[in-house]
């Protein structure tokens, strides 16, 4: 009995000593969906800074893996560099998931040197005497921190300090070193099988914003409204033919940055005791050459496309996602690495608007006669041609094509729910002027004039809470501010006198 127990223990030991069974590679997904959540603090900043994007994305991938019987480590390659490992959910594995790991050993010049310590490489260098390029065998003695030291038939020397061009070549990629981040999971299957697996995870370094393009119609009373969704991906990974969605609204989340960058190779040379000892130390970023393949620096993202001359079929309206709004891109698109992309977000034709002339004044302070800001006011209701949740973004207004399609104004709008008013900036007007005088202390007198041959609606807001101004006929609450709303006749004028509440007054 005892002999059998010892035999069983001995036979079990080799299995447990293995690296959790076989290794199964999943190089890429067969389908991918990207749902982007914007940065609630910086989503108004466009163009984006791809070096630091404060939004994030939910990546959902479908992969097919061939599993052996018994334990195995499944390596999901090509996941986003900003992946949050603890958020990963893997479904479809017959044996479930026993362990998850984020493998961050990325292919880089420094990582290659580290992987070849004590091993042979090939140096391509320029001969100092003849100027000819020659190939030489070398062994990496030290590196990559503080520089690289190699041993050649000529002796021990520091790489990159000869003053002439030289670079190492490697026969293969060291084990465990990958060109991109990897998420590995450990599982066990009772029998060999092919499984369709769904991998979902959160990743940082994403963001999106809306850009509205409005064009007046020939009648001058309606406009066609189109919106681009500008999507930014700061990861080094590309998501081809992806189903893209964008979520608007504010989430309660703890923002963390998980992006892992490949380390550059720093070759430091210190010419001590010479007349050049005080020269600045230069940094050399070596190319990686592995059996003829080169990993190059990322290229700059292409410029966004111009506004469309005519709107195509309208994208689907947003969907409710609790208190958030979900916008679906109807066609699959490719989300490029370290780049931006613009896709259609929403479109509406023949939206009626009212032209208003707006200005904000300090309460009870003299302001000289000046021009007003022109805005096109839209009612965000279905009956008024809209009725959509509009995410915050920039606005650009053009004249009708009959008028040459000239630019009329730019601006911004905040998040607008259905039922709210939307204003699109349309420049300034010297035809409708406003001035403010102070007849007595704590009192203001506003005068507006209209030089147009047609009536004009003015909205003059006071930069003060509503409760700080005495109730005055013609002064109403507009978005929390006391505002004078009046219709000036053609070539006419109007005045309003108001008084501020005194401290301690009722």
């Amino acid at each position: 009995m005892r002999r059998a127990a010892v035999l069983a223990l001995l036979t079990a030991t080799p299995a447990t000593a293995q690296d959790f069974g076989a290794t199964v590679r999943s190089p890429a997904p067969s389908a991918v969906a990207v749902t982007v959540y914007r940065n609630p603090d910086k989503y108004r900043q466009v163009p984006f800074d791809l070096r630091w994007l404060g939004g994030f994305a939910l990546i959902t991938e479908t992969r097919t893996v061939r599993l052996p019987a018994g334990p195995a480590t499944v390596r999901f390659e090509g996941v986003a560099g900003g992946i949050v490992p603890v958020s990963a959910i893997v479904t479809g594995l017959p044996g479930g998931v026993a362990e998850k790991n984020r493998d961050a050993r990325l292919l880089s010049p420094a990582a290659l040197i580290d992987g070849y310590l004590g091993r042979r490489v090939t140096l391509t260098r320029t001969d100092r005497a003849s100027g000819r390029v020659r190939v030489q065998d070398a062994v990496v003695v030290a590196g990559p921190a503080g520089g690289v030291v190699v041993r050649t038939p000529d002796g021990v020397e520091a790489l990159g300090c000869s003053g002439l061009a030289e670079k190492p070549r490697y026969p293969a990629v060291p084990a465990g070193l990958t060109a991109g981040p990897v998420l590995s999971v450990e599982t066990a299957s009772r029998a060999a099988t092919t499984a369709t697996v769904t991998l979902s995870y959160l990743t940082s370094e994403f963001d999106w914003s809306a850009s509205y393009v409005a064009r007046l119609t020939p009648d001058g009373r309606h406009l066609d409204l189109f919106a681009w969704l500008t999507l930014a991906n700061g990861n080094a990974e590309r998501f081809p033919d992806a189903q893209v969605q964008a979520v608007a609204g504010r989430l309660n989340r703890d923002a963390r940055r998980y992006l892992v960058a490949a380390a550059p190779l720093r070759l430091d040379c210190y010419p001590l005791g010479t007349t050049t000892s005080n020269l600045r130390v230069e940094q050399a970023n070596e190319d990686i050459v592995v059996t003829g393949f080169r990993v190059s620096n990322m290229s700059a993202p292409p410029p966004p496309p111009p506004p469309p001359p005519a709107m195509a079929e309208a994208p689907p309206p947003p969907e409710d996602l609790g208190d958030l709004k979900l916008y679906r891109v109807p066609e699959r698109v490719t989300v490029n690495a370290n780049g931006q992309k613009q896709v259609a977000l929403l479109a509406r034709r023949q939206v009626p608007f009212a032209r208003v002339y707006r200005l904000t004044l300090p309460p009870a302070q003299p302001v000289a006669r000046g021009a007003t800001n022109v805005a096109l006011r839209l009612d965000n209701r279905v009956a008024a041609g809209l009725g959509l949740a509009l995410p915050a973004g920039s606005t650009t207004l053009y004249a009708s094509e009959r008028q040459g399609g000239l630019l009329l104004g730019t601006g911004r709008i905040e998040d607008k729910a259905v039922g709210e008013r939307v204003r699109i900036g349309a420049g300034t007007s010297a035809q409708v002027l406003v001035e403010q005088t102070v007849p007595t202390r704590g009192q203001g007198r506003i005068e507006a004039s209209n030089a147009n041959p047609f009536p004009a609606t003015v909205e003059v807001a006071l930069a003060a809470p509503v409760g700080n101004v005495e109730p005055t006929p013609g002064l109403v609450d507009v978005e929390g501010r006391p505002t004078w709303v009046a219709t000036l006749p053609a070539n006419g004028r109007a005045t309003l006198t108001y008084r501020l509440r005194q401290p301690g007054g009722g």
Side-chain angles (χ1 to χ4, degrees), residues 64-149:
T64 301
V65 295
R66 295 182 178 180
L67 301 171
T73 299
V74 182
R75 291 172 55 84
F76 296 108
E77 301 175 359
V79 296
I83 183 175
V84 182
V86 295
S87 70
I89 300 176
V90 181
T91 59
L93 291 174
V97 176
E99 184 177 320
K100 293 183 295 185
N101 295 285
R102 160 69 156 87
D103 301 333
R105 294 194 62 202
L106 299 184
L107 184 65
S108 69
L112 277 173
I113 289 293
D114 183 63
Y116 269 86
L117 284 176
R119 299 171 60 185
R120 189 179 300 275
V121 299
T122 301
L123 298 182
T124 301
R125 57 198 335 185
T126 304
D127 185 87
R128 181 181 295 274
S130 64
R132 296 179 179 178
V133 176
R134 61 190 177 96
V135 177
Q136 187 179 41
D137 290 337
V139 175
V140 180
V141 177
V148 179
V149 178

Side-chain angles (χ1 to χ4, degrees), residues 325-344:
K325 296 296 180 181
L326 176 68
Y327 297 84
R328 297 182 186 271
V329 177
E331 298 180 355
R332 293 186 178 272
V333 297
T334 295
V335 182
N336 290 320
N338 296 295
Q340 301 183 46
K341 178 178 289 291
Q342 286 190 318
V343 294

Side-chain angles (χ1 to χ4, degrees), residues 2 33 110 204 336 369 456:
R2 180 179 179 183
S204 59
N336 290 320
R369 183 181 298 270

